[in-house]
Every structure is written in structure tokens, then in C-alpha cells.
Amino acid sequence: MRKVIVEKKILVANEEFANKNREFLTAKKLPCLNVISSPGSGKTTILAKTIEALKGKVRIGVIEGDIQTDIDARRIRKTGAPACQINTEGACHLSAAQVSFALHKLPVDTLDLIFIENVGNLVCPSALDLGETAKIAVLSTPEGDDKPAKYPAIFARAAVVLINKIDLLAAGDFNIEKAGADVFKINKKAKIFPVSAKTGQGMSAWCDWLEEMAAKKEIPA
Ligand code: MG
Ligand code: ZN
């Protein structure tokens, strides 16, 4: 009982910060995308390649969530984009309070778009509101095509599903049609982009979608 009450208090506090973040982002007309996946799906590589592809068109900042280290923030800064590292010190997801802190560290007035790279975890980050504009799910082909069926919560809430590492399709047994059909079963509105951040395959469709969103400041239909 006590545990339930404490967890409820934490969620209420999170919701307050999430609402503040949403108000802040709305006032600045800044789209903010919360990227969620398992560890190793290629989130940081996707973000670094996206930043490079959109250089001169969309000014991007990144909030990097990791349990420990600033390895990913350093990889992002190498592209020239500002990145704020949040270490969760063991926690398996970012909180809205941590995102609020990071939003005040980033040079938001010089940005058109913010990515949040959440801690690698397909489960609880999907349930936690950070005040983001939309959630983006990343699924890489070596993880298996059963993930949308096994972890429906994130795929149900995602505006976009990136199927990454399609360069490895021939070497594995990932069925891209099955994965796509399973996503559509739980989320009719999801946009699916099959990509390889490594080879660049499919990345232009995803980057065009982002460019359109950053120009209109809203999620394209
Ligand atoms: Mg990463
Ligand atoms: Zn968690």
C-alpha cells in the first residue's frame, strides 16, 4: 500500500513537470521528440546521421539520457549540435524534471527541433510523460520482428516507428511486413520508416518528415 502511494506521488510530480515542459515548448514553438528503444538499437547513430543530413536546414539539439557516462552526448557534439547529458544514476528512464533541467541548459532560442534520447528500455519510458510533442520508437532488425506484439505500449503511443539496421535484413530472419502489420494492429496512425543509419538507406524519407515538421511546427499527417 505504502509503495503504491509513493509511486502515485512520484507520478503526480512528474505530470507537473511534464505540463511545464509542454507549456515551455509550445511557447517556444519547439517540437520535441522522445526517442525510445531497447539498448543497442542505434538511437545515437540515427540522431548523429539525422543531424548531419539536416545541417543548414533544421537546427537540432539533443537531451541524452543514460544510466551512466557521457559517451552518447560526446558523439552528438561531434556533429556540432548542442547536447545535454543527463545521467539517471541507475534509473531506467528519464523523468520530466530531468528534461526540464536539460531544456534550460540547451540554447533553445537557436533551435528548431529537440530530440530526447531516452534510456535504452522498451518498457517504462513509454508510460512516462515528459511533456514531449511525440514519441518515436526505434526497433532494430536483430532484435526480432516480435517486439511490436510483445511490447505493444510503446508502439501504440509512437507517432513514428523507425525500423533500423535494414542493411542486416538478408543476414537475419526479421520479417519487415509482419513487424509493420503488428504495429498497424495497435496503432493505425503510426508512420513507419525502414532505415539503415549506417548505410543511409531510407534516411531521406525520415529526414523529409522531420524537415516538414520543423517548418510547420506540427506532426505531419
Ligand atoms: Mg545511445
Ligand atoms: Zn524506468
Side-chain angles (χ1 to χ4, degrees):
M1 191 60 185
R2 171 113 188 102
K3 184 162 182 273
V4 172
I5 292 168
V6 170
E7 277 174 3
K8 204 171 171 193
K9 273 190 183 159
I10 291 170
L11 281 178
V12 170
N14 188 78
E15 204 50 49
E16 277 171 22
F17 275 106
N19 289 335
K20 272 187 207 160
N21 291 345
R22 212 173 345 265
E23 280 166 26
F24 177 84
L25 293 162
T26 307
K28 299 270 180 204
K29 295 193 168 67
L30 252 182
C32 176
L33 302 177
N34 180 7
V35 184
I36 297 171
S37 79
S38 309
S41 68
K43 291 187 294 302
T44 315
T45 306
I46 288 171
L47 294 185
K49 294 292 180 82
T50 300
I51 290 163
E52 271 163 8
L54 290 173
K55 221 166 241 179
K57 297 187 221 169
V58 183
R59 298 167 299 172
I60 297 172
V62 181
I63 298 170
E64 273 295 338
D66 277 294
I67 292 176
Q68 232 140 55
T69 80
D70 65 346
I71 294 170
D72 286 359
R74 282 191 276 135
R75 283 179 65 196
I76 295 295
R77 286 185 201 122
K78 267 193 194 154
T79 67
C84 179
Q85 180 75 55
I86 301 287
N87 283 138
T88 60
E89 312 294 343
C92 49
H93 56 265
L94 281 171
S95 71
Q98 289 166 330
V99 168
S100 167
F101 172 85
L103 283 174
H104 290 91
K105 291 266 174 197
L106 285 174
V108 287
D109 292 325
T110 67
L111 299 176
D112 304 309
L113 173 66
I114 292 179
F115 280 113
I116 300 169
E117 182 179 337
N118 218 312
V119 178
N121 173 359
L122 269 182
V123 187
C124 57
S126 72
L128 218 67
D129 183 9
L130 301 181
E132 74 277 75
T133 313
K135 290 178 167 69
I136 308 289
V138 181
L139 167 62
S140 67
T141 61
E143 292 168 60
D145 54 24
D146 57 353
K147 294 296 171 292
K150 287 175 83 172
Y151 300 90
I154 178 54
F155 294 96
R157 293 183 174 113
V160 168
V161 176
L162 291 169
I163 300 181
N164 191 28
K165 306 191 189 179
I166 56 169
D167 53 304
L168 300 178
L169 275 174
D173 47 17
F174 188 97
N175 182 330
I176 204 158
E177 284 76 28
K178 176 191 183 302
D182 284 351
V183 170
F184 282 127
K185 256 184 235 164
I186 45 181
N187 182 350
K188 299 247 176 319
K189 288 194 285 186
K191 272 208 125 23
I192 301 180
F193 294 111
V195 300
S196 167
K198 192 176 163 191
T199 67
Q201 203 184 339
M203 288 293 281
S204 62
W206 153 246
C207 288
D208 288 348
W209 183 86
L210 288 172
E211 201 181 341
E212 192 187 334
M213 185 188 50
K216 288 193 190 160
K217 321 264 180 219
E218 61 188 45
I219 304 286

